[in-house]
Amino acid sequence: MGQLIISVGREFGSGGRVIAEALAKRFGITIYDRHLITEIAQETGLTPKEIEKYNEHPKHLLTSRTVRGLSNSIEDNIADMQFKFLREKAASGESFVVVGRCSETKLKDYEGLVSIFVIADEDAKLRRIMHLYELPEDKARAFKDKKDKKRKRYHNYHCQMHWGDSRLYDLSINSSRLGIDGTVDYLEKYIRARVEAMADKK
């Protein structure tokens, strides 16, 4: 198998991260998500908790400025370090799964990229969030809306096309239709078909 990069974007509560982890196991490749934060923390000297505070946040426009291409925004700098880290991994020929981080756009020049966006029905997302975070429905809904708003702002700040736009991804899938395991099974078949198609081109 040649290089395979699986980019997984997701709505909060859709199970996208669990799906990404399962795909990484099935293909025997590394996943970069929380691990990415640890890597960046080691490079910067910041703690993972400090990195997480600014992770996937756009900069504050009123307190940030860019001079000669250099930003004084910690949010910008952390994002740029993550993008650089992913491009270096891709350039090395490594195969991996990456969750979020605008990866469907930042790594689009790599032939081995397969980009996926995971959505789910509203009630399914709420049930999942209520269960995982032990929240009542109203707080789960507010939490979901806050997280998706954050992801949307971050993505749209760093990319030209909008977060969740189906034209950005090879495949958008509703995890409510087949369930998490069924969705992983379907995506595995799709990705293996893509790998075969890429091999046939060579």
Side-chain angles (χ1 to χ4, degrees):
M1 183 177 75
Q3 184 181 37
L4 173 63
I5 302 170
I6 304 173
S7 164
V8 181
R10 76 285 186 219
E11 292 179 336
F12 188 64
S14 66
R17 175 176 289 136
V18 175
I19 289 168
E21 290 171 348
L23 290 173
K25 287 182 180 179
R26 294 200 185 187
F27 286 91
I29 55 181
T30 301
I31 182 169
Y32 290 118
D33 183 15
R34 298 298 182 195
H35 315 74
L36 196 83
I37 293 173
T38 302
E39 295 272 356
I40 299 300
Q42 290 174 347
E43 287 188 18
T44 60
L46 297 172
T47 66
K49 186 176 181 180
E50 289 171 323
I51 296 292
E52 182 63 45
K53 179 181 177 181
Y54 298 102
N55 181 49
E56 290 193 319
H57 273 282
K59 69 180 180 182
H60 294 284
L61 297 178
L62 295 179
T63 59
S64 304
R65 62 195 181 102
T66 301
V67 179
R68 295 179 182 175
L70 299 175
S71 174
N72 71 338
S73 162
I74 190 169
E75 294 92 347
D76 270 2
N77 292 329
I78 287 173
D80 287 342
M81 282 187 282
Q82 293 189 58
F83 300 151
K84 180 183 176 185
F85 175 88
L86 292 172
R87 284 193 290 261
E88 287 176 349
K89 292 294 182 182
S92 74
E94 180 180 334
S95 292
F96 56 89
V97 176
V98 56
V99 180
R101 275 73 180 189
C102 304
S103 49
E104 84 295 323
T105 299
K106 301 300 180 180
L107 302 177
K108 65 181 180 180
D109 293 332
Y110 288 89
E111 184 181 358
L113 175 68
V114 179
S115 55
I116 298 159
F117 192 80
V118 183
I119 66 172
D121 291 344
E122 190 75 3
D123 60 341
K125 289 187 290 186
L126 286 175
R127 285 197 304 271
R128 185 175 184 83
I129 295 167
M130 289 166 66
H131 172 71
L132 289 175
Y133 297 94
E134 299 181 346
L135 293 173
E137 184 174 342
D138 58 338
K139 291 187 177 180
R141 188 183 303 278
F143 189 33
K144 174 185 68 66
D145 292 345
K146 179 181 178 180
K147 294 286 282 188
D148 277 344
K149 182 178 179 180
K150 171 188 167 184
R151 289 175 182 173
K152 182 176 182 179
R153 287 181 62 233
Y154 173 85
H155 185 282
N156 295 353
Y157 173 76
H158 290 288
C159 304
Q160 289 186 334
M161 294 183 70
H162 288 179
W163 178 78
D165 187 327
S166 61
R167 292 170 296 178
L168 271 175
Y169 312 95
D170 297 318
L171 186 67
S172 293
I173 190 165
N174 187 327
S175 62
S176 301
R177 298 294 176 264
L178 299 175
I180 297 298
D181 292 340
T183 300
V184 173
D185 290 340
Y186 180 86
L187 289 173
E188 181 184 2
K189 291 177 183 177
Y190 173 79
I191 294 167
R192 291 196 185 282
R194 283 286 306 278
V195 169
E196 289 180 13
M198 286 186 280
D200 289 342
K201 288 182 180 180
K202 294 181 179 179

